[in-house]
Amino acid sequence: MNNQVKIAVLGGGSWATAIVKMLSENIATVGWYMRSIYAIEHIKRNKHNPNYLSSAELHPEQLDLSDDINSIVENYEVLIFAIPSAFLKAELEKLTISLKDKIIFSAIKGIVPETGLIVGEHFHEIHKVPFKNIGVITGPCHAEEVAMERLSYLTLACQDERKAEDLSKYISGRYIKTKISDDIIGTEYAAMLKNIYAIAAGIAHGLGYGDNFQAVLMSNGIREMKRFIKKIHKMKRNINNSAYLGDLLVTGYSIFSRNRMFGNMIGKGYTVKSAMLEMSMVAEGYYASKSAYEIKEENGAKTPIIDAVYHILYGKKEAKEEFLKLTNKLN
Amino acid sequence: MNNQVKIAVLGGGSWATAIVKMLSENIATVGWYMRSIYAIEHIKRNKHNPNYLSSAELHPEQLDLSDDINSIVENYEVLIFAIPSAFLKAELEKLTISLKDKIIFSAIKGIVPETGLIVGEHFHEIHKVPFKNIGVITGPCHAEEVAMERLSYLTLACQDERKAEDLSKYISGRYIKTKISDDIIGTEYAAMLKNIYAIAAGIAHGLGYGDNFQAVLMSNGIREMKRFIKKIHKMKRNINNSAYLGDLLVTGYSIFSRNRMFGNMIGKGYTVKSAMLEMSMVAEGYYASKSAYEIKEENGAKTPIIDAVYHILYGKKEAKEEFLKLTNKLN
């Protein structure tokens, strides 16, 4: 156990809970901010999060729980954000303390809807955190399998690789292996884009396409992802590494993925609005498809799958017809 | 309908039946050799194959069925072989007619166990068919989904791309799209190797590894496949095309894959022999892992997944321990 390092997790969802569990295996005290005082009290009394990942056993004696984001930010050096991107801006507006000297790792997969920025850029542009202090934690990783202590591989990316290495010591363990990367832009965009492809996989399934087509869709998806990311940040990267292809697969092939489920409803004929109401939450890929579409309109990347999802979700196009057109663009 | 072209399918299994169905959409008469006279009579009377893919409706009036391989080979110019690789050599030994002026397309995914050659090489070396007359038909494609007329994409590869294009006209249709390739070696090895990775996926599942790990395994698998094929035949190929990555995914993620099922039993503790008995058929990947291991021993490709599968299936190594070692080699 190491008592020196001051690491906190911000967020109360499944992924936040999973990261707290990983850290608790290695460090004596983990800071943990979440909004719900009810959930905090429940964790203290019952040793598990009442709402998310409730199968994971937590150790309250190791947790410095607080519903005050400022006290957590003040007291910790490394801040791991795992707040859904749709709520991030509002949460950060509560801050009275500057983030600029903190080390920020984002475990958020998506776009900040209000600014259209990926999370790392949001921290940099809005909160003046230098890029060398911003990192990304990415899968392939379902939080549920962390709760079950099933072997998972995470990629920690930071321009300053040493910071990723430092954090990796406290994340790695019996059931977590970590890999270090300096491709913060690529890994973060991959994590965002994969949700769009998961929506596409869901739409295809909802429309009655089978496994043969899904394999073609995913194989086109990873090629499209490579083209997209290359336009934004050209560097030597193997798109088949776990942080890109692995993350795409674990989401695209998961029947538990919220994005896939959302797509499935659209494919089955739900309107966007009714699918959202039915799910009582917003799939990250919904925002991501709009941002990704706008970005590719600027940089000219060829993205037939993103285009189809965008036209269906934002252009009121029929899923059936858009996918019929899409099938002629895939190979 | 085109009555000129003389195309026959050889084999009585699911994949043979699916290809016959595709061809019957486009040509008036399809030659079809299968061993079982019982199955032939059944097809003529009942319009479906009694043993395999029996949900596919066939049109006996379009089928020139025969249990005499020589009469089919004599009467047809383009021969599509879809006989399991374990029986191919014995079937070909029945031939009294030369194959050397025929156009051969292999829809077989594997190694001819007796010679250790991939199917194209076997036709070339043993039957003196020139390489320009040898092609490969590859997925991603479950035959079952062809029966259901679900959209599927096939790749037809031939050194002489025109021959692949010619055949593609008779394969393509409402629910089949085709892509042409000149990478006959790469596509054929990919089709063989994917079965080994499907066994690995099955073993992992049987041992209790979850979806997070499967995604890492597949992402390492495609990188390993790329290294392996590059050592055998270096050329510009995008390993993320459907014929390579797509084919890996449709098999690795399919719970219907015989190879995955076989691996799953091994992971759950069956011996190789008892798993084979239980399945009452041999998984192609079983032979493939031995051949692939021998090839990489010669050419020096780094193949930790193939190695692990080989050691488990042929070296009497414990699956649990081999996979524990393997997890440290993946990333």
Side-chain angles (χ1 to χ4, degrees):
Chain A
M1 293 280 178
N2 181 311
N3 293 298
Q4 310 301 106
V5 66
K6 302 277 284 173
I7 305 177
V9 175
L10 295 95
S14 302
W15 195 212
T17 309
I19 295 171
V20 165
K21 179 174 157 67
M22 297 172 204
L23 292 169
S24 303
E25 307 271 357
N26 296 307
I27 48 181
T29 306
V30 179
W32 192 1
Y33 160 72
M34 64 176 74
R35 277 188 304 182
S36 162
I37 186 74
Y38 162 76
I40 289 175
E41 290 306 319
H42 187 101
I43 292 169
K44 286 184 180 165
R45 259 198 319 276
N46 303 300
K47 304 187 177 188
H48 60 81
N49 187 336
N51 305 312
Y52 297 101
L53 211 67
S54 48
S55 60
E57 200 191 328
L58 301 169
H59 304 281
E61 70 283 6
Q62 281 180 257
L63 303 176
D64 174 20
L65 281 152
S66 171
D67 68 336
D68 176 0
I69 191 168
N70 280 295
S71 92
I72 292 288
V73 169
E74 185 164 23
N75 291 323
Y76 291 84
E77 293 153 19
V78 179
L79 307 173
I80 300 175
F81 282 85
I83 292 166
S85 63
F87 308 130
L88 183 68
K89 185 166 177 284
E91 284 292 328
L92 292 176
E93 281 168 356
K94 295 180 188 168
L95 285 179
T96 54
I97 298 165
S98 168
L99 288 174
K100 76 180 180 32
D101 295 323
K102 302 291 177 180
I103 296 171
I104 307 283
F105 272 82
S106 163
I108 304 168
K109 285 107 196 251
I111 283 279
V112 181
E114 298 92 337
T115 59
L117 299 171
I118 55 171
V119 174
E121 290 169 342
H122 185 87
F123 277 107
H124 179 70
E125 296 210 357
I126 313 295
H127 297 275
K128 310 300 171 207
V129 183
F131 271 124
K132 70 174 169 46
N133 287 352
I134 298 176
V136 168
I137 300 179
T138 184
C141 197
H142 290 306
E144 290 71 17
E145 294 199 344
V146 175
M148 296 160 80
E149 303 191 352
R150 282 183 164 173
L151 183 64
S152 306
Y153 293 64
L154 297 180
T155 293
L156 275 60
C158 190
Q159 225 176 55
D160 179 358
E161 284 191 311
R162 259 182 327 148
K163 290 189 179 108
E165 266 161 34
D166 284 347
L167 181 59
S168 81
K169 288 177 209 147
Y170 307 109
I171 296 266
S172 304
R174 205 161 26 92
Y175 49 87
I176 302 289
K177 293 186 190 289
T178 50
K179 184 181 168 110
I180 307 301
S181 161
D182 64 350
D183 183 20
I184 168 169
I185 309 271
T187 51
E188 194 165 4
Y189 272 103
M192 162 205 164
L193 293 170
K194 65 136 198 274
N195 288 327
I196 308 174
Y197 301 121
I199 290 181
I203 295 175
H205 186 74
L207 288 170
Y209 289 90
D211 293 348
N212 293 351
F213 180 73
Q214 292 288 2
V216 171
L217 187 65
M218 288 298 118
S219 121
N220 279 270
I222 192 70
R223 284 176 269 155
E224 183 173 306
M225 182 190 279
K226 185 179 176 174
R227 290 194 299 267
F228 185 102
I229 296 177
K230 198 175 164 186
K231 286 272 186 191
I232 291 175
H233 183 52
K234 194 168 172 173
M235 67 176 273
K236 198 171 154 56
R237 64 171 67 83
N238 188 344
I239 202 75
N240 288 346
N241 281 349
S242 295
Y244 316 96
L245 177 62
D247 205 17
L248 173 66
L249 296 180
V250 86
T251 310
Y253 275 104
S254 168
I255 50 167
F256 303 109
S257 156
R258 289 192 300 273
N259 291 290
R260 198 174 187 283
M261 217 180 292
F262 176 70
N264 191 31
M265 285 184 181
I266 302 293
K268 285 198 185 308
Y270 282 68
T271 62
V272 173
K273 205 169 170 183
S274 59
M276 280 182 182
L277 281 172
E278 188 77 23
M279 289 185 63
S280 73
M281 50 163 69
V282 172
E284 297 273 4
Y286 173 72
Y287 300 116
S289 62
K290 183 161 184 288
S291 297
Y293 185 80
E294 287 165 359
I295 292 168
K296 81 95 204 186
E297 283 287 278
E298 272 194 29
N299 70 24
K302 200 179 131 211
T303 56
I305 305 172
I306 291 171
D307 299 356
V309 172
Y310 173 79
H311 290 313
I312 294 164
L313 299 185
Y314 292 89
K316 291 186 190 296
K317 293 284 167 70
E318 284 290 332
K320 195 177 164 184
E321 279 163 35
E322 278 301 305
F323 264 63
L324 207 58
K325 280 192 270 173
L326 177 62
T327 60
N328 291 319
K329 295 175 188 162
L330 305 181
N331 61 50
Chain B
M1 292 282 180
N2 181 310
N3 294 297
Q4 309 299 107
V5 67
K6 302 277 283 172
I7 305 177
V9 175
L10 295 96
S14 301
W15 195 212
T17 308
I19 295 170
V20 166
K21 178 175 158 66
M22 296 172 206
L23 292 168
S24 304
E25 307 272 357
N26 296 307
I27 49 182
T29 305
V30 179
W32 191 2
Y33 160 73
M34 64 177 74
R35 278 188 305 182
S36 163
I37 186 75
Y38 161 76
I40 289 176
E41 290 307 320
H42 187 100
I43 291 169
K44 285 182 180 166
R45 262 197 318 276
N46 303 300
K47 303 190 178 185
H48 60 82
N49 188 337
N51 306 312
Y52 299 99
L53 210 67
S54 48
S55 60
E57 201 191 328
L58 301 169
H59 303 281
E61 71 283 5
Q62 280 180 258
L63 304 176
D64 174 19
L65 281 151
S66 172
D67 68 334
D68 177 358
I69 190 168
N70 280 295
S71 93
I72 292 288
V73 169
E74 185 164 22
N75 291 324
Y76 291 85
E77 295 153 19
V78 179
L79 307 173
I80 300 175
F81 281 86
I83 293 166
S85 62
F87 308 129
L88 183 69
K89 185 166 177 285
E91 284 292 328
L92 291 176
E93 281 168 357
K94 295 179 188 169
L95 286 179
T96 54
I97 298 164
S98 168
L99 289 174
K100 76 180 179 31
D101 296 323
K102 303 290 178 181
I103 296 171
I104 307 282
F105 272 82
S106 164
I108 303 168
K109 285 107 197 250
I111 284 282
V112 181
E114 298 92 336
T115 60
L117 299 171
I118 54 172
V119 173
E121 290 169 342
H122 185 87
F123 278 107
H124 179 70
E125 297 211 357
I126 313 296
H127 297 276
K128 309 301 170 206
V129 184
F131 271 124
K132 69 174 169 45
N133 286 352
I134 298 175
V136 168
I137 301 179
T138 185
C141 197
H142 290 306
E144 289 71 17
E145 294 199 344
V146 175
M148 295 158 80
E149 303 191 352
R150 282 183 164 173
L151 183 64
S152 305
Y153 291 65
L154 297 179
T155 293
L156 275 60
C158 190
Q159 223 176 56
D160 179 0
E161 284 190 313
R162 259 183 327 150
K163 289 189 179 108
E165 267 162 31
D166 284 346
L167 180 59
S168 80
K169 289 177 208 145
Y170 308 108
I171 296 266
S172 303
R174 204 162 25 93
Y175 49 87
I176 302 289
K177 292 187 190 288
T178 50
K179 183 181 169 110
I180 307 300
S181 161
D182 63 350
D183 183 20
I184 167 171
I185 310 270
T187 51
E188 194 164 2
Y189 272 103
M192 162 204 162
L193 293 171
K194 64 137 198 274
N195 288 328
I196 309 174
Y197 300 121
I199 291 181
I203 295 175
H205 186 74
L207 288 170
Y209 290 90
D211 293 348
N212 292 352
F213 181 73
Q214 292 287 2
V216 171
L217 187 66
M218 288 297 120
S219 122
N220 279 268
I222 193 69
R223 284 176 269 156
E224 182 173 306
M225 183 190 279
K226 184 178 178 177
R227 290 193 299 267
F228 185 102
I229 296 177
K230 196 174 166 188
K231 286 273 185 190
I232 291 175
H233 183 52
K234 194 168 172 172
M235 67 176 273
K236 198 171 153 57
R237 65 171 66 83
N238 187 343
I239 203 74
N240 288 346
N241 281 349
S242 295
Y244 315 95
L245 177 63
D247 206 16
L248 173 66
L249 295 181
V250 85
T251 311
Y253 275 103
S254 167
I255 51 166
F256 303 109
S257 156
R258 289 191 300 273
N259 291 290
R260 198 175 187 283
M261 218 180 293
F262 176 70
N264 191 32
M265 284 184 183
I266 302 293
K268 286 198 184 307
Y270 281 67
T271 63
V272 173
K273 205 169 171 185
S274 59
M276 281 182 182
L277 282 172
E278 188 78 23
M279 290 186 62
S280 74
M281 51 164 65
V282 172
E284 297 273 3
Y286 173 73
Y287 300 115
S289 62
K290 183 160 184 288
S291 296
Y293 185 81
E294 287 164 0
I295 292 168
K296 80 95 205 188
E297 283 288 278
E298 271 194 32
N299 70 23
K302 200 179 131 212
T303 56
I305 304 173
I306 291 171
D307 299 356
V309 172
Y310 173 78
H311 291 313
I312 293 164
L313 299 185
Y314 292 89
K316 290 185 191 296
K317 293 285 167 70
E318 284 290 333
K320 195 177 165 185
E321 279 161 35
E322 279 300 306
F323 263 63
L324 207 58
K325 279 193 271 174
L326 177 61
T327 59
N328 292 318
K329 294 175 187 162
L330 305 180
N331 61 50

